[in-house]
Amino acid sequence: EADKLFLNAYGNIHGKVEGNVISAFRLNPKWSTAIFAHAENLSHKVDDNGDGFLDMPLMTQYNVFNRWKYSSEHLTTQLGFKVLDEDRTGGQKDFSTDMARDTSMPYGINVKTRRYEAFWKGGVVFENRPSTSVAMIQQFTHHSQNSYFGLNDYDAEENSYYLNLLFQSYIGNTRHNFTTGMSFEMSNYIEHLNDSAFNQFERVPGIFFQYTYKLDEKLSIIAGIRGDYHNIYGAFATPRFHIKYSINEKTILRASAGLGYRTARVIAENNTMLASSRALKIEEEPEQEQAFNAGINITRYFDLMGRELRLSGEVYHTR
């Protein structure tokens, strides 16, 4: 549906240039594809405040995304890949990446990032049963970073695979929908900070079930639960609940609550600390993070001089 060709260019007085190319076209009634390309470069050193440090990092980035889509009456599938290549340099204005790295030289930062992603997802809609389908999603990601912050070296690599199988149908009638299935995630993290290595391999199979009740446009309720088994942290359950109620045509009330879990990547998430000369010391192995979130939202629509005015208020709590 998009334009066959879209071109966009940008430049500013600091010497930064950017370009975007988007091309989408249909090969036949069932197959179509789109290509997205982005490139940017800043090679001019900017120090407008005169403190001897770059106001913004020098950067070269290339970004390409290609997606293919197949769509028929009962079958839909998408596949594609993404490529990112980026090189950033910061620090003092007199710093250059070909300089020796010691305390007699200007301070500098360099971050090289390479990221590759490939994905495929497909779904089949059942011909003789409404609101019923089966689908599969797969994704592979490779991410590598080679960097230094002054005298601190930080290199990291992540290889991950994600699989999700889903089945959707209803119980009794289409007011009572459900989605169920299984997922599998596998990630291998390799991190090196100076002379220390922080490696971790994660393997997380899981199952899930979600129930949705809809009463016309008045009320909808979603309740779901999933169970996962982490090869390091063991088994855990993740419930969630959402409700939406239309008090009248102009007033909508929403509420939600749920649990969430994540594994902390302490160095990657705080690598700005590496710009300091302080020594980073990890005293104990981080535990899995758990968060509980709950909240309520109310939205009211008003007609104001032929236009729509929306007022909303919300309260959320996260622990």
Side-chain angles (χ1 to χ4, degrees), residues 67-104:
R67 180 174 60 201
W68 294 77
K69 184 177 181 179
Y70 174 87
S71 183
S72 64
E73 186 177 358
H74 301 292
L75 172 65
T76 300
T77 187
Q78 287 192 42
L79 66 155
F81 69 90
K82 303 177 185 180
V83 177
L84 170 70
D85 189 301
E86 182 184 279
D87 191 338
R88 290 175 180 258
T89 301
Q92 288 182 276
K93 188 177 180 180
D94 295 334
F95 170 76
S96 175
T97 54
D98 57 5
M99 289 181 173
R101 291 170 53 214
D102 57 52
T103 55
S104 66

Side-chain angles (χ1 to χ4, degrees), residues 248-268:
N248 53 50
E249 290 184 355
K250 298 290 185 179
T251 309
I252 300 174
L253 182 69
R254 296 178 176 89
S256 63
L259 276 177
Y261 294 86
R262 68 185 294 271
T263 301
R265 303 289 163 208
V266 178
I267 304 174

